[in-house]
PDB file of all heavy atoms in Angstrom:
ATOM      1  N   LYS O1409      16.641  17.819  -2.159  1.00 88.00           N
ATOM      2  CA  LYS O1409      15.540  18.611  -2.700  1.00 88.00           C
ATOM      3  C   LYS O1409      15.201  19.764  -1.766  1.00 88.00           C
ATOM      4  O   LYS O1409      15.023  20.907  -2.202  1.00 88.00           O
ATOM      5  CB  LYS O1409      14.325  17.715  -2.909  1.00 88.00           C
ATOM      6  CG  LYS O1409      13.097  18.435  -3.441  1.00 88.00           C
ATOM      7  CD  LYS O1409      11.947  17.467  -3.621  1.00 88.00           C
ATOM      8  CE  LYS O1409      10.711  18.178  -4.162  1.00 88.00           C
ATOM      9  NZ  LYS O1409       9.575  17.234  -4.332  1.00 88.00           N
ATOM     10  N   ILE O1416      16.933  28.511  -2.583  1.00 91.00           N
ATOM     11  CA  ILE O1416      16.252  29.349  -3.575  1.00 91.00           C
ATOM     12  C   ILE O1416      15.343  30.363  -2.900  1.00 91.00           C
ATOM     13  O   ILE O1416      15.223  31.516  -3.338  1.00 91.00           O
ATOM     14  CB  ILE O1416      15.452  28.467  -4.555  1.00 91.00           C
ATOM     15  CG1 ILE O1416      16.406  27.655  -5.443  1.00 91.00           C
ATOM     16  CG2 ILE O1416      14.532  29.322  -5.428  1.00 91.00           C
ATOM     17  CD1 ILE O1416      15.695  26.687  -6.366  1.00 91.00           C
ATOM     18  N   SER O1474      22.840  38.463  -6.561  1.00 93.00           N
ATOM     19  CA  SER O1474      21.523  39.105  -6.611  1.00 93.00           C
ATOM     20  C   SER O1474      21.324  40.164  -5.544  1.00 93.00           C
ATOM     21  O   SER O1474      20.199  40.615  -5.326  1.00 93.00           O
ATOM     22  CB  SER O1474      20.432  38.035  -6.477  1.00 93.00           C
ATOM     23  OG  SER O1474      20.567  37.021  -7.445  1.00 93.00           O
ATOM     24  N   ARG O1500      29.741  52.388  11.391  1.00 92.00           N
ATOM     25  CA  ARG O1500      31.097  52.759  11.808  1.00 92.00           C
ATOM     26  C   ARG O1500      31.027  53.470  13.155  1.00 92.00           C
ATOM     27  O   ARG O1500      30.324  54.460  13.318  1.00 92.00           O
ATOM     28  CB  ARG O1500      31.772  53.669  10.778  1.00 92.00           C
ATOM     29  CG  ARG O1500      33.222  54.027  11.178  1.00 92.00           C
ATOM     30  CD  ARG O1500      33.956  54.754  10.077  1.00 92.00           C
ATOM     31  NE  ARG O1500      33.403  56.069   9.808  1.00 92.00           N
ATOM     32  CZ  ARG O1500      33.510  56.697   8.646  1.00 92.00           C
ATOM     33  NH1 ARG O1500      34.103  56.100   7.632  1.00 92.00           N
ATOM     34  NH2 ARG O1500      32.989  57.900   8.482  1.00 92.00           N
ATOM     35  N   ASN O1609       9.004  70.757   0.900  1.00 97.00           N
ATOM     36  CA  ASN O1609       9.878  70.106  -0.081  1.00 97.00           C
ATOM     37  C   ASN O1609       9.719  68.590  -0.135  1.00 97.00           C
ATOM     38  O   ASN O1609      10.120  67.976  -1.125  1.00 97.00           O
ATOM     39  CB  ASN O1609      11.338  70.443   0.223  1.00 97.00           C
ATOM     40  CG  ASN O1609      11.689  71.882  -0.076  1.00 97.00           C
ATOM     41  OD1 ASN O1609      11.944  72.255  -1.218  1.00 97.00           O
ATOM     42  ND2 ASN O1609      11.694  72.714   0.959  1.00 97.00           N
ATOM     43  N   GLU O1659       2.214  58.312   8.173  1.00 97.00           N
ATOM     44  CA  GLU O1659       1.784  57.120   8.891  1.00 97.00           C
ATOM     45  C   GLU O1659       2.528  56.959  10.215  1.00 97.00           C
ATOM     46  O   GLU O1659       2.028  56.302  11.130  1.00 97.00           O
ATOM     47  CB  GLU O1659       2.006  55.873   8.027  1.00 97.00           C
ATOM     48  CG  GLU O1659       1.229  55.871   6.719  1.00 97.00           C
ATOM     49  CD  GLU O1659       1.531  54.655   5.873  1.00 97.00           C
ATOM     50  OE1 GLU O1659       2.150  53.705   6.420  1.00 97.00           O
ATOM     51  OE2 GLU O1659       1.172  54.634   4.688  1.00 97.00           O
ATOM     52  N   GLY O1696      -0.074  69.824  26.842  1.00 92.00           N
ATOM     53  CA  GLY O1696      -1.453  69.953  26.380  1.00 92.00           C
ATOM     54  C   GLY O1696      -1.871  68.896  25.386  1.00 92.00           C
ATOM     55  O   GLY O1696      -2.778  69.139  24.584  1.00 92.00           O
ATOM     56  N   GLY O1707      -6.981  67.113  21.501  1.00 94.00           N
ATOM     57  CA  GLY O1707      -5.583  66.756  21.308  1.00 94.00           C
ATOM     58  C   GLY O1707      -5.386  65.389  20.697  1.00 94.00           C
ATOM     59  O   GLY O1707      -6.077  64.976  19.754  1.00 94.00           O
ATOM     60  N   LEU O1725       0.244  66.165  31.763  1.00 94.00           N
ATOM     61  CA  LEU O1725      -0.638  65.027  31.521  1.00 94.00           C
ATOM     62  C   LEU O1725      -0.994  64.363  32.854  1.00 94.00           C
ATOM     63  O   LEU O1725      -0.123  63.902  33.588  1.00 94.00           O
ATOM     64  CB  LEU O1725       0.042  64.013  30.595  1.00 94.00           C
ATOM     65  CG  LEU O1725      -0.785  62.770  30.250  1.00 94.00           C
ATOM     66  CD1 LEU O1725      -2.030  63.162  29.454  1.00 94.00           C
ATOM     67  CD2 LEU O1725       0.047  61.756  29.470  1.00 94.00           C
ATOM     68  N   ASP O1800      10.389  50.093  35.388  1.00 95.00           N
ATOM     69  CA  ASP O1800      11.560  50.485  36.168  1.00 95.00           C
ATOM     70  C   ASP O1800      11.559  49.715  37.486  1.00 95.00           C
ATOM     71  O   ASP O1800      10.520  49.590  38.141  1.00 95.00           O
ATOM     72  CB  ASP O1800      11.536  51.986  36.463  1.00 95.00           C
ATOM     73  CG  ASP O1800      11.754  52.823  35.221  1.00 95.00           C
ATOM     74  OD1 ASP O1800      12.171  52.253  34.197  1.00 95.00           O
ATOM     75  OD2 ASP O1800      11.494  54.037  35.270  1.00 95.00           O
ATOM     76  N   GLY O1814     -11.367  49.065  55.506  1.00 36.00           N
ATOM     77  CA  GLY O1814     -12.775  49.378  55.675  1.00 36.00           C
ATOM     78  C   GLY O1814     -13.237  50.670  55.049  1.00 36.00           C
ATOM     79  O   GLY O1814     -14.410  50.983  55.091  1.00 36.00           O
ATOM     80  N   PHE O1857     -18.437  55.054  34.590  1.00 42.00           N
ATOM     81  CA  PHE O1857     -17.308  54.178  34.812  1.00 42.00           C
ATOM     82  C   PHE O1857     -16.708  54.517  36.152  1.00 42.00           C
ATOM     83  O   PHE O1857     -16.670  55.673  36.551  1.00 42.00           O
ATOM     84  CB  PHE O1857     -16.243  54.364  33.726  1.00 42.00           C
ATOM     85  CG  PHE O1857     -16.677  53.896  32.383  1.00 42.00           C
ATOM     86  CD1 PHE O1857     -17.273  54.772  31.493  1.00 42.00           C
ATOM     87  CD2 PHE O1857     -16.496  52.580  32.011  1.00 42.00           C
ATOM     88  CE1 PHE O1857     -17.669  54.345  30.249  1.00 42.00           C
ATOM     89  CE2 PHE O1857     -16.898  52.146  30.765  1.00 42.00           C
ATOM     90  CZ  PHE O1857     -17.483  53.023  29.882  1.00 42.00           C
ATOM     91  N   VAL O1868      -4.931  42.678  47.792  1.00 40.00           N
ATOM     92  CA  VAL O1868      -3.716  42.836  48.585  1.00 40.00           C
ATOM     93  C   VAL O1868      -3.821  42.042  49.874  1.00 40.00           C
ATOM     94  O   VAL O1868      -2.889  41.355  50.293  1.00 40.00           O
ATOM     95  CB  VAL O1868      -3.467  44.325  48.887  1.00 40.00           C
ATOM     96  CG1 VAL O1868      -2.325  44.480  49.879  1.00 40.00           C
ATOM     97  CG2 VAL O1868      -3.127  45.066  47.596  1.00 40.00           C
ATOM     98  N   ARG O1882       1.198  35.230  28.264  1.00 96.00           N
ATOM     99  CA  ARG O1882       1.713  35.525  26.925  1.00 96.00           C
ATOM    100  C   ARG O1882       2.925  36.451  26.936  1.00 96.00           C
ATOM    101  O   ARG O1882       3.405  36.848  25.874  1.00 96.00           O
ATOM    102  CB  ARG O1882       0.609  36.158  26.074  1.00 96.00           C
ATOM    103  CG  ARG O1882      -0.589  35.233  25.872  1.00 96.00           C
ATOM    104  CD  ARG O1882      -1.576  35.835  24.885  1.00 96.00           C
ATOM    105  NE  ARG O1882      -2.754  35.001  24.726  1.00 96.00           N
ATOM    106  CZ  ARG O1882      -3.766  35.284  23.907  1.00 96.00           C
ATOM    107  NH1 ARG O1882      -3.738  36.400  23.191  1.00 96.00           N
ATOM    108  NH2 ARG O1882      -4.806  34.462  23.818  1.00 96.00           N
ATOM    109  N   VAL O1892      22.091  51.633  39.815  1.00 94.00           N
ATOM    110  CA  VAL O1892      23.283  50.940  40.290  1.00 94.00           C
ATOM    111  C   VAL O1892      23.189  50.705  41.797  1.00 94.00           C
ATOM    112  O   VAL O1892      22.699  51.549  42.554  1.00 94.00           O
ATOM    113  CB  VAL O1892      24.541  51.757  39.936  1.00 94.00           C
ATOM    114  CG1 VAL O1892      24.589  53.056  40.727  1.00 94.00           C
ATOM    115  CG2 VAL O1892      25.804  50.953  40.168  1.00 94.00           C
ATOM    116  N   LEU O1895      19.019  45.861  43.990  1.00 95.00           N
ATOM    117  CA  LEU O1895      18.957  44.416  43.814  1.00 95.00           C
ATOM    118  C   LEU O1895      17.779  44.033  42.930  1.00 95.00           C
ATOM    119  O   LEU O1895      16.745  44.721  42.895  1.00 95.00           O
ATOM    120  CB  LEU O1895      18.823  43.723  45.173  1.00 95.00           C
ATOM    121  CG  LEU O1895      19.925  44.005  46.197  1.00 95.00           C
ATOM    122  CD1 LEU O1895      19.636  43.270  47.495  1.00 95.00           C
ATOM    123  CD2 LEU O1895      21.294  43.612  45.644  1.00 95.00           C
ATOM    124  N   GLU O1905       5.975  36.874  39.323  1.00 93.00           N
ATOM    125  CA  GLU O1905       6.418  35.558  39.775  1.00 93.00           C
ATOM    126  C   GLU O1905       6.149  34.480  38.741  1.00 93.00           C
ATOM    127  O   GLU O1905       6.952  33.572  38.553  1.00 93.00           O
ATOM    128  CB  GLU O1905       5.715  35.211  41.096  1.00 93.00           C
ATOM    129  CG  GLU O1905       6.175  33.892  41.689  1.00 93.00           C
ATOM    130  CD  GLU O1905       5.534  33.608  43.025  1.00 93.00           C
ATOM    131  OE1 GLU O1905       4.688  34.422  43.457  1.00 93.00           O
ATOM    132  OE2 GLU O1905       5.875  32.590  43.633  1.00 93.00           O
ATOM    133  N   THR O1936      17.132  35.053  40.701  1.00 95.00           N
ATOM    134  CA  THR O1936      15.682  35.266  40.740  1.00 95.00           C
ATOM    135  C   THR O1936      15.027  34.861  39.426  1.00 95.00           C
ATOM    136  O   THR O1936      13.863  34.438  39.400  1.00 95.00           O
ATOM    137  CB  THR O1936      15.383  36.749  41.041  1.00 95.00           C
ATOM    138  OG1 THR O1936      16.040  37.122  42.248  1.00 95.00           O
ATOM    139  CG2 THR O1936      13.896  37.004  41.181  1.00 95.00           C
ATOM    140  N   GLN O1998      37.309  53.127  28.598  1.00 86.00           N
ATOM    141  CA  GLN O1998      37.579  51.695  28.661  1.00 86.00           C
ATOM    142  C   GLN O1998      36.346  50.939  29.095  1.00 86.00           C
ATOM    143  O   GLN O1998      35.729  51.241  30.109  1.00 86.00           O
ATOM    144  CB  GLN O1998      38.731  51.404  29.630  1.00 86.00           C
ATOM    145  CG  GLN O1998      39.101  49.937  29.704  1.00 86.00           C
ATOM    146  CD  GLN O1998      40.377  49.702  30.478  1.00 86.00           C
ATOM    147  OE1 GLN O1998      41.181  50.611  30.671  1.00 86.00           O
ATOM    148  NE2 GLN O1998      40.575  48.482  30.943  1.00 86.00           N
ATOM    149  N   LEU O2003      38.543  39.796  34.838  1.00 94.00           N
ATOM    150  CA  LEU O2003      38.784  38.396  35.182  1.00 94.00           C
ATOM    151  C   LEU O2003      37.588  37.763  35.892  1.00 94.00           C
ATOM    152  O   LEU O2003      37.161  36.660  35.519  1.00 94.00           O
ATOM    153  CB  LEU O2003      40.054  38.287  36.030  1.00 94.00           C
ATOM    154  CG  LEU O2003      40.389  36.893  36.567  1.00 94.00           C
ATOM    155  CD1 LEU O2003      40.585  35.907  35.421  1.00 94.00           C
ATOM    156  CD2 LEU O2003      41.632  36.939  37.452  1.00 94.00           C
ATOM    157  N   LEU O2033      36.207  29.035  26.178  1.00 94.00           N
ATOM    158  CA  LEU O2033      36.280  27.774  25.443  1.00 94.00           C
ATOM    159  C   LEU O2033      35.786  26.603  26.278  1.00 94.00           C
ATOM    160  O   LEU O2033      35.564  25.513  25.747  1.00 94.00           O
ATOM    161  CB  LEU O2033      37.721  27.514  24.983  1.00 94.00           C
ATOM    162  CG  LEU O2033      38.293  28.519  23.975  1.00 94.00           C
ATOM    163  CD1 LEU O2033      39.748  28.195  23.674  1.00 94.00           C
ATOM    164  CD2 LEU O2033      37.475  28.516  22.691  1.00 94.00           C
ATOM    165  N   ARG O2074      36.726  23.171  17.800  1.00 87.00           N
ATOM    166  CA  ARG O2074      35.998  22.282  18.696  1.00 87.00           C
ATOM    167  C   ARG O2074      34.825  21.625  17.975  1.00 87.00           C
ATOM    168  O   ARG O2074      34.149  22.253  17.159  1.00 87.00           O
ATOM    169  CB  ARG O2074      35.464  23.056  19.898  1.00 87.00           C
ATOM    170  CG  ARG O2074      36.519  23.786  20.702  1.00 87.00           C
ATOM    171  CD  ARG O2074      35.896  24.417  21.923  1.00 87.00           C
ATOM    172  NE  ARG O2074      34.670  25.118  21.604  1.00 87.00           N
ATOM    173  CZ  ARG O2074      33.715  25.415  22.481  1.00 87.00           C
ATOM    174  NH1 ARG O2074      33.841  25.050  23.732  1.00 87.00           N
ATOM    175  NH2 ARG O2074      32.637  26.072  22.118  1.00 87.00           N
TER     176      ARG O2074
END
Side-chain angles (χ1 to χ4, degrees):
K1409 179 180 180 180
I1416 291 176
S1474 305
R1500 182 172 66 205
N1609 289 279
E1659 299 177 13
L1725 181 64
D1800 291 347
F1857 292 92
V1868 172
R1882 298 187 183 181
V1892 68
L1895 302 179
E1905 183 177 3
T1936 305
Q1998 182 170 341
L2003 175 60
L2033 296 176
R2074 303 185 314 159

